[in-house]
Amino acid sequence: MLGLNGTYFQPDTLQLTGIPGMQTGHAWVALIFCILYLISIIGNLSILTLVVLESALHQPMYYFLSMLSLNDLGVSFSTLPTVLATFCFSYRHIDFNVCLVQMFFIHTFSFMESGILLAMSFDRFVAICDPLRYATVLTNSRILAMGLGILAKSFTTLFPFPFLVKRLPFCKGNVLHHSYCLHPDLMKVACGDIHVNNIYGLFVVIFTYGIDSTFILLSYALILRAVLVITSQEQRLKALNTCMSHICAVLVFYVPIIAVSMIHRFWKSAPPVVHVMMSNVYLFVPPMLNPIIYSVKTKEIRRGIFKVFYKSQI
């Protein structure tokens, strides 16, 4: 955008987009998003409440699950204000600086989720490969240190992003392609030299998603090797079953990321609605499905839900 003296400047506000090409049906889309938010918020709050109230769930596995639920709430609340404003109230403008803050929190919580999933895979590795030392390795202080380490890593690696965007002029309009602010979306309307942003963005992705996913795969390779040594088939299945919830959570998180990357890399002519829908899946589906997955696949969580429900009926 051009200023009065012919120089490029940053707009006071940016315009958000709902779903490209959708002129009607926003009421139905708003309803769908509201349902997704309700399931995500109620489900994750329920997990947190159960872990706090049920003494049987005061174990490392469920402390990590609490971190995941807390982080998923962060993802949901980061996008909720602008998504609801866009689809429910047709208010599509966001202050430029507020957009940068939202971008920072969305990406920070997304990268934290990757770190938490890695910590949960370490929990499963110790539980299966070295069960006798499980309680001594995963003490409360170490779990707290791991959680703070994940937070510090995500915060420090993402902290430069708003400032890297802030330095850029904007000459390609002020219309973004989502109902929330993402770094790649801002780069599409920015001018000047964006190589630093792109290179640092690639570094952050490799430093987080790349390293975390590699160690998750390594932990499961070691788990599989340890399980195959077990002679009893029943014990093998029991050991693997304790990992199923986490495996599903990993797939729910990483499959959309891989899909978005593949579309961006190999299908550059894809309609904008494809990119928008895949980004929505990446941000909205994991926080919604994670509490459902753990409620269905984890016996202790189900037992806690039934116990609370039974008490409420008395």
Side-chain angles (χ1 to χ4, degrees):
M1 300 178 70
L2 286 172
L4 296 177
N5 60 356
T7 58
Y8 297 115
F9 71 98
Q10 294 166 345
D12 293 329
T13 61
L14 294 168
Q15 183 176 334
L16 301 171
T17 304
I19 297 178
M22 179 176 286
Q23 305 302 326
T24 59
H26 275 210
W28 288 105
V29 175
L31 178 62
I32 292 172
F33 276 118
C34 287
I35 292 172
L36 291 177
Y37 278 123
L38 280 175
I39 294 173
S40 174
I41 293 170
I42 293 173
N44 286 295
L45 283 176
S46 298
I47 293 291
L48 286 171
T49 303
L50 277 175
V51 174
V52 171
L53 296 180
E54 291 296 319
S55 57
L57 301 181
H58 294 175
Q59 301 176 35
M61 173 182 174
Y62 302 106
Y63 292 149
F64 288 122
L65 178 58
S66 297
M67 293 183 195
L68 185 65
S69 294
L70 193 61
N71 188 79
D72 284 339
L73 287 172
V75 174
S76 296
F77 285 122
S78 295
T79 58
L80 186 145
T82 55
V83 171
L84 294 188
T86 300
F87 290 104
C88 296
F89 305 105
S90 297
Y91 184 79
R92 303 177 182 278
H93 295 280
I94 182 172
D95 182 81
F96 181 77
N97 291 320
V98 173
C99 184
L100 295 184
V101 173
Q102 185 187 48
M103 175 198 72
F104 171 76
F105 279 108
I106 289 175
H107 288 300
T108 297
F109 284 121
S110 296
F111 287 125
M112 280 181 63
E113 182 137 351
S114 178
I116 294 170
L117 290 173
L118 172 59
M120 295 174 83
S121 71
F122 177 70
D123 167 79
R124 293 298 83 205
F125 165 75
V126 177
I128 293 174
C129 297
D130 197 1
L132 297 179
R133 297 183 57 203
Y134 182 72
T136 57
V137 171
L138 290 172
T139 60
N140 290 344
S141 59
R142 284 178 180 168
I143 293 170
L144 178 61
M146 291 170 72
L148 292 175
I150 293 167
L151 174 63
K153 174 189 172 185
S154 300
F155 184 88
T156 53
T157 53
L158 271 298
F159 187 73
F161 266 119
F163 301 100
L164 290 174
V165 176
K166 185 79 172 174
R167 69 185 178 87
L168 295 171
F170 287 74
C171 64
K172 300 176 183 177
N174 67 335
V175 179
L176 304 180
H177 296 109
H178 298 82
S179 51
Y180 40 82
C181 297
L182 296 176
H183 181 260
D185 209 12
L186 285 166
M187 291 301 96
K188 293 177 181 177
V189 295
C191 300
D193 187 2
I194 63 173
H195 286 92
V196 174
N197 294 68
N198 290 334
I199 292 172
Y200 187 72
L202 179 62
F203 162 76
V204 171
V205 168
I206 295 173
F207 184 63
T208 53
Y209 293 152
I211 293 177
D212 291 348
S213 60
T214 299
F215 278 104
I216 289 173
L217 288 173
L218 177 61
S219 67
Y220 272 103
L222 296 174
I223 288 171
L224 186 60
R225 187 181 70 174
V227 168
L228 291 177
V229 175
I230 301 174
T231 55
S232 171
Q233 184 176 1
E234 182 181 351
Q235 291 298 320
R236 284 187 209 166
L237 294 175
K238 185 177 179 180
L240 290 175
N241 191 53
T242 63
C243 301
M244 288 308 299
S245 299
H246 180 255
I247 292 172
C248 291
V250 170
L251 292 175
V252 164
F253 180 73
Y254 276 103
V255 168
I257 292 175
I258 295 171
V260 169
S261 301
M262 296 296 286
I263 290 172
H264 180 73
R265 177 67 179 85
F266 298 107
W267 192 14
K268 296 184 182 297
S269 60
V273 67
V274 174
H275 293 279
V276 172
M277 294 306 294
M278 289 305 303
S279 296
N280 287 338
V281 169
Y282 155 62
L283 283 176
F284 296 113
V285 171
M288 178 196 68
L289 286 184
N290 284 337
I292 297 175
I293 290 170
Y294 276 91
S295 298
V296 172
K297 301 293 292 183
T298 308
K299 181 174 63 176
E300 289 76 10
I301 295 292
R302 290 200 308 272
R303 185 181 297 144
I305 293 173
F306 292 143
K307 185 177 179 181
V308 171
F309 181 77
Y310 176 74
K311 285 181 180 179
S312 66
Q313 300 299 311
I314 299 177

